[in-house]
Amino acid sequence: MTSYSAYDFDRFLRYDEMVAWLHDLARSFPNLVNLEPYGKSHKGRDLWLATVTDGSTGAHDIKPAHWIDANIHATEVTGGVAALYVLHYLTSEFGHDSNVTEALRTRTFYIVPRVNPDGVEDALADQPLYHRSSVRSWPWRDGHTWPGLSVQDIDGDGRVLTMRVADPDGAWIEHDQEPRVMIQVGPLGAPAGKQRYRLLGEGVIENFDGFTIPTPRDPAGLDLNRNFPSGWSTTVLGSGDHPLSEPEIDCLVRAARARTNICGYNAFHTAGGFMLRPSSTHPDSWLPPFDLWAFKELGKVGADLTTYPVHSVFEDLTWDKNNTMGGAGDDWAYEHLGVFSWTTEFWDAIFAATGDHSPTDIWYVGPTPEQELAVCRWTDTHAPGSYSNWYAFDHPQLGKIELGGADVFRTWVNAPPSRLRDEVAPHAKFAVYQALASPRLEIKLADAASLGGGVWQLRVGIANTGWLGTEITAWAEKNKIVLPLTIEIAGATPVEGGSRVKLGQLAGRSAFRVNGNAKSDGTPDRVLHTWLVRAKRGETVTITAVHQRAGTATVSIVLP
């Protein structure tokens, strides 16, 4: 087992190691960390949620909160390391870093480090199996393996490499400068005398007919990040039987919805070195102008802290605008919770090797030969063994072939151990920044004046001292997603009206930035309420202000 103190964020933890680390963390910081299961995976593994806040300043649910989850996709394990690092950063820097201390004193973090433990376990196995996401067979519910290539580690070395088969019609040839890098044969064919190859993922051929090699989808064909309610569609590959059909997503959505104080959302994925924002299914013109502006303002800070550029999924990364990525978690958080949400795609191998960010079409067309050559050479120094020389292998169906090339899992999808900690660390600061941008209720004025005859005038002035308004987004305001601020009095009897009053919503400082050149703010971030009450001199009256997102504030007045 790996203890909290021993883990240096330089490798990927198996499930049992991760759970042991989380429990050790909670035992080490009992006043900051609470650990609880919020459901079970398809295979019955506990799904763990860590709640982090300073318990001495109040319970987690009376403070604004920021949500982080990771590893919804099976092979994207750098995201899980990043979530664990955020936990480490918050606990180790509390009392030392002023921003972290203030964030835990006044805010809460909800962190799910592994949404999909079943898929990750397969990816980290001694002989790995790489799924897109869940391990449940879908849509082939009998788990039937269809004829064709079944990608897996066939020589037992713990890696899934590339098979190359000499073929005069093959689409690939060796790079002139580096045989481990394969480049495509162009329209005019290969140079004379140059051996051509057909490339296949390492694996076995089911029901091989001796001529064709189909490449069917993994029978575990679900994509849990297409199973959220927002934008869900049967036309989206891997979307599941219906929204929330998968236990991992059903449990996550229920856990997040039960925590109505969530003000921001970030899902940790790989790869590409991007910070992605909604929408995945609509152009930017569909977003309210304030929300688009706020996304860009937050994104500027995120880019400065992490070097990751910010992109709209629909505008910048969707190749075919008629085939969008519906059912994603960040869209659900924005559209259903009404909060600013992000998907962080960790690790850009091209940027590490060249200093240039990956192009936004990298997921569709892959790297150029020059980019892959640079990555191959970079790994020889920083991640030796990531690119393997070709070696002979006697394949059970194909006969004599070669295995080699990139270990994609350890080169392109995830950061290598030598870079892992440095890659994820800056994102902890952005998480703190997002949390501190949330609204926060404070009672700034509370007094009482005797009007005689046992009647008192009580005044309470409440302010939102956060950057964002209490509704968070204009989308939430438009769709009436967020309940209003309420105040309640105890210890005195109102002369008229009730003891509990609705006061609406409060703007944040962000509203002052979109006030043109007037620079005359007014006080849309404040509200004053007055009660006439009956009470006896010397009694204590308590006033409590509650907003589901901006928190709870309480003040007591001793009647003079």
Side-chain angles (χ1 to χ4, degrees):
M1 294 296 180
T2 297
S3 70
Y4 163 68
S5 57
Y7 182 44
D8 198 34
F9 308 96
D10 55 357
R11 65 188 185 88
F12 308 117
L13 300 184
R14 300 285 291 268
Y15 177 78
D16 289 342
E17 291 181 296
M18 181 197 71
V19 173
W21 186 89
L22 289 170
H23 279 88
D24 193 14
L25 180 76
R27 284 190 297 268
S28 300
F29 299 96
N31 294 327
L32 296 179
V33 181
N34 181 66
L35 191 63
E36 61 184 312
Y38 65 94
K40 289 188 179 293
S41 71
H42 170 66
K43 285 194 170 182
R45 292 184 173 95
D46 283 328
L47 304 171
W48 290 98
L49 169 67
T51 299
V52 190
T53 194
D54 178 3
S56 69
T57 59
H60 69 94
D61 55 354
I62 66 168
K63 303 173 185 177
H66 187 67
W67 175 283
I68 294 172
D69 62 53
N71 276 169
I72 197 170
H73 288 143
T75 61
E76 299 176 7
V77 288
T78 298
V81 175
L84 296 179
Y85 187 86
V86 173
L87 287 167
H88 162 73
Y89 179 74
L90 294 174
T91 52
S92 63
E93 292 300 319
F94 178 73
H96 304 286
D97 181 279
S98 59
N99 286 336
V100 172
T101 303
E102 177 66 6
L104 293 186
R105 189 182 72 82
T106 61
R107 270 80 170 179
T108 294
F109 292 82
Y110 299 121
I111 300 177
V112 175
R114 192 158 295 176
V115 175
N116 175 23
D118 300 343
V120 174
E121 280 303 282
D122 275 6
L124 296 179
D126 293 338
Q127 283 194 267
L129 288 174
Y130 294 152
H131 312 294
R132 171 60 172 163
S133 201
S134 170
V135 302
R136 181 170 83 86
S137 292
W138 185 90
W140 322 118
R141 292 169 181 78
D142 57 359
H144 179 70
T145 301
W146 291 86
L149 180 65
S150 175
V151 176
Q152 55 192 271
D153 173 18
I154 58 174
D155 65 348
D157 68 352
R159 302 178 298 175
V160 176
L161 301 176
T162 299
M163 303 190 300
R164 73 177 192 181
V165 183
D167 185 335
D169 298 321
W172 302 87
I173 58 175
E174 289 182 351
H175 195 291
D176 288 338
Q177 300 178 42
E178 175 52 72
R180 292 173 294 173
V181 173
M182 305 298 290
I183 60 175
Q184 288 190 326
V185 175
L188 299 181
K194 193 80 169 177
Q195 176 65 60
R196 292 169 65 165
Y197 296 91
R198 189 174 301 273
L199 300 184
L200 300 163
E202 181 180 346
V204 297
I205 316 298
E206 303 288 347
N207 300 321
F208 185 44
D209 63 12
F211 186 69
T212 64
I213 305 175
T215 54
R217 289 195 77 210
D218 180 356
L222 285 159
D223 186 338
L224 296 177
N225 202 38
R226 303 293 178 264
N227 193 233
F228 287 87
S230 179
W232 186 92
S233 172
T234 56
T235 63
V236 175
L237 194 64
S239 59
D241 298 328
H242 55 78
L244 309 183
S245 62
E246 306 314 303
E248 294 86 353
I249 305 307
D250 181 66
C251 293
L252 187 150
V253 165
R254 291 179 188 277
R257 288 292 297 142
R259 290 158 176 80
T260 57
N261 54 329
I262 292 172
C263 298
Y265 177 97
N266 203 165
F268 286 172
H269 291 237
T270 69
F274 309 128
M275 287 194 305
L276 307 180
R277 60 165 177 81
S279 171
S280 301
T281 57
H282 298 285
D284 279 353
S285 59
W286 178 81
L287 276 68
F290 172 84
D291 291 355
L292 183 58
W293 171 83
F295 266 124
K296 292 179 178 179
E297 290 295 299
L298 293 168
K300 288 176 187 176
V301 175
D304 287 344
L305 289 172
T306 68
T307 73
Y308 283 22
V310 175
H311 295 293
S312 157
V313 177
F314 181 88
E315 296 280 8
D316 302 328
L317 270 77
T318 301
W319 217 23
D320 181 356
K321 299 297 192 285
N322 295 312
N323 184 21
T324 58
M325 294 180 278
D330 53 1
D331 279 2
W332 167 76
Y334 175 69
E335 295 179 29
H336 289 215
L337 300 184
V339 301
F340 292 107
S341 56
W342 301 89
T343 292
T344 302
E345 298 284 355
F346 285 94
W347 184 238
D348 183 352
I350 292 172
F351 181 72
T354 68
D356 296 325
H357 292 289
S358 284
T360 55
D361 61 359
I362 187 71
W363 294 348
Y364 303 98
V365 301
T368 65
E370 294 76 20
Q371 289 167 338
E372 185 165 9
L373 178 62
V375 170
C376 178
R377 290 173 171 172
W378 181 89
T379 62
D380 285 343
T381 300
H382 300 279
S386 297
Y387 268 77
S388 174
N389 291 319
W390 298 99
Y391 58 96
F393 182 76
D394 192 7
H395 193 276
Q397 291 85 38
L398 298 174
K400 295 186 182 303
I401 65 163
E402 291 177 287
L403 290 170
D407 181 343
V408 174
F409 176 79
R410 292 175 176 84
T411 303
W412 291 92
V413 178
N414 291 292
S418 64
R419 288 293 297 270
L420 194 53
R421 184 185 181 111
D422 289 344
E423 187 70 23
V424 302
H427 297 264
K429 291 185 177 181
F430 186 47
V432 170
Y433 181 86
Q434 291 181 78
L436 289 173
S438 63
R440 183 184 175 222
L441 284 191
E442 292 189 62
I443 295 176
K444 295 290 189 177
L445 180 151
D447 58 24
S450 175
L451 302 181
V455 176
W456 303 80
Q457 177 180 274
L458 303 182
R459 298 191 308 160
V460 58
I462 304 166
N464 169 21
T465 59
W467 187 71
L468 290 169
T470 54
E471 288 174 300
I472 310 295
T473 62
W475 176 266
E477 178 183 12
K478 174 184 176 182
N479 293 282
K480 297 180 173 56
I481 291 173
V482 183
L483 295 175
L485 164 67
T486 64
I487 56 170
E488 189 167 4
I489 188 170
T493 303
V495 173
E496 58 182 27
S499 60
R500 186 169 181 267
V501 180
K502 294 180 181 180
L503 295 180
Q505 308 288 350
L506 299 178
R509 294 191 306 280
S510 57
F512 305 154
R513 282 284 308 279
V514 291
N515 195 23
N517 294 318
K519 293 189 177 178
S520 178
D521 299 331
T523 56
D525 54 330
R526 294 181 174 184
V527 64
L528 178 68
H529 184 73
T530 301
W531 266 295
L532 294 181
V533 301
R534 294 190 183 277
K536 295 179 181 179
R537 189 179 304 276
E539 289 188 334
T540 299
V541 178
T542 300
I543 300 171
T544 303
V546 177
H547 190 278
Q548 63 182 136
R549 291 191 166 163
T552 298
T554 302
V555 66
S556 294
I557 306 170
V558 178
L559 299 180

